[in-house]
Amino acid sequence: MYGLSQIRNKQIKVPHFNIFKIGTWVMMGIFASYLMIYLFLGQEILNYFPFLLLFAFATPLFSLWMSKSSVKRAYQIRMIGEGGAKNEKEQLVVNTIQLLSEKLELQKVPEIGVYPSYDVNAFATGASKNSALVAVSQGLLQTMNETEIIGVLAHEMSHVVNGDMLTSSILEGFVSAFALIATIPFLFGRSENNRGGRAGSSFMTYYMIRNIANFFGKLVSSAYSRRREYGADRLAAQITGAVYMKSALIKLQDISQGRISLQAEDRRFANFKITNNFSSGGLASLFASHPSLENRIEAVERLEQQGW
């Protein structure tokens, strides 16, 4: 079994949050929103453009800002950092997070907690990588061995250092903005577009257009979420070695068939976790926030074959 001693002296290339890349995507999103308003709503609506963006981004950014306090209440998380660990497994979690924070050059160690649930899972949240929370379930600590726990924590710390919580909120904001722009003409009944035509419609049409916009928005956000999970698996394999991540995913796959039903709170925050137990096959997989465990294991095995 592999433990912390094998990764303590491991040399890694520390990834850095690419603010220029994020800024580029943000500017492209703003330009696309501006162009949609100009083409479909008319130039006079551009006067309200800042307010539309503010309205669209208010909910996701506020949720991100409040995410730590929200999950602490929802999951009844017990903090175990700074001497709060009650057993060897909890101390392993604390030691692993502290070691990975040092290796990833974080300015501040994330808050560390355990929540009472039979669900074998873990998640990371927080407004930034230096204001993060990593929590694991009691079910995970009872079920997984040291190697598997380290693999899970490396995955969650990858989300933290990549700034995935922030980028997901930005994407959600733009999805909301596009949906809002698409439905404004139908919400207010009639409005002049740039061609001088009428865009009158009933509330029934408004709800239909809104659902269509939400449908495509969900496709985009789900696709990004799955890509984000592959990225976290890859970085976790780089940080600790592929064997840790592979072991954790195989254990999750082994227990997935016999797991108990999730609580409502588990479903609410499923996107933040290492695995989403609501994922399905077929067309439903297009809306899954996580790739299948089989596909993730195959991806990590390819990294292992490359010597990771």
Side-chain angles (χ1 to χ4, degrees), residues 20-278:
F20 297 104
K21 181 178 180 180
I22 298 299
T24 300
W25 283 107
V26 169
M27 293 304 298
M28 290 176 62
I30 292 175
F31 175 76
S33 302
Y34 189 92
L35 185 62
M36 284 184 65
I37 292 177
Y38 180 78
L39 292 177
F40 297 106
L41 301 184
Q43 189 170 0
E44 65 277 4
I45 302 297
L46 290 176
N47 296 328
Y48 303 98
F49 180 66
F51 300 101
L52 291 176
L53 283 185
L54 180 62
F55 183 81
F57 277 88
T59 298
L61 292 182
F62 180 77
S63 297
L64 177 65
W65 180 52
M66 295 294 295
S67 59
K68 284 202 301 183
S69 58
S70 296
V71 297
K72 285 178 181 179
R73 290 193 301 269
Y75 281 91
Q76 301 177 3
I77 293 176
R78 173 172 58 86
M79 309 311 296
I80 62 174
E82 300 180 355
K86 293 184 177 181
N87 53 55
E88 291 184 2
K89 287 285 187 72
E90 291 185 1
Q91 189 59 52
L92 170 64
V93 172
V94 174
N95 293 342
T96 302
I97 295 297
Q98 291 176 343
L99 175 61
L100 294 179
S101 297
E102 179 182 347
K103 295 182 75 66
L104 293 170
E105 299 179 359
L106 295 182
Q107 297 177 6
K108 185 177 180 181
V109 176
E111 295 183 54
I112 310 167
V114 174
Y115 61 96
S117 174
Y118 291 109
D119 180 30
V120 181
N121 229 318
F123 64 85
T125 189
S128 71
K129 66 180 182 179
N130 291 312
S131 179
L133 165 69
V134 176
V136 299
S137 69
Q138 289 181 343
L140 182 144
L141 296 181
Q142 294 168 1
T143 305
M144 289 190 164
N145 61 31
E146 181 176 352
T147 303
E148 295 156 353
I149 291 174
I150 293 173
V152 168
L153 295 175
H155 175 95
E156 298 306 330
M157 288 296 288
S158 297
H159 282 311
V160 171
V161 76
N162 282 335
D164 286 337
M165 291 79 75
L166 175 60
T167 54
S168 295
S169 296
I170 292 174
L171 177 60
E172 184 180 346
F174 279 118
V175 168
S176 299
F178 294 149
L180 181 63
I181 293 169
T183 55
I184 280 180
F186 305 96
L187 178 63
F188 293 103
R190 293 184 176 183
S191 63
E192 295 285 344
N193 64 17
N194 64 313
R195 298 176 182 175
R198 296 287 184 179
S201 181
S202 64
F203 275 103
M204 182 178 296
T205 305
Y206 159 73
Y207 283 114
M208 181 183 70
I209 297 299
R210 189 184 70 172
N211 289 334
I212 292 174
N214 289 338
F215 173 84
F216 286 104
K218 180 64 175 176
L219 282 178
V220 172
S221 59
S222 297
Y224 171 77
S225 180
R226 293 192 297 273
R227 179 180 178 182
R228 178 190 65 185
E229 293 303 318
Y230 280 125
D233 288 347
R234 182 181 180 88
L235 180 55
Q238 177 186 347
I239 295 170
T240 62
V243 64
Y244 292 85
M245 194 68 245
K246 178 182 175 181
S247 298
L249 292 173
I250 290 176
K251 175 59 71 69
L252 290 171
Q253 184 183 48
D254 288 342
I255 65 178
S256 62
Q257 298 301 321
R259 64 183 314 284
I260 64 172
S261 299
L262 295 182
Q263 303 170 3
E265 290 81 3
D266 292 325
R267 181 178 292 273
R268 179 183 173 192
F269 294 102
N271 287 358
F272 293 102
K273 297 182 177 181
I274 188 171
T275 181
N276 181 351
N277 299 289
F278 310 105

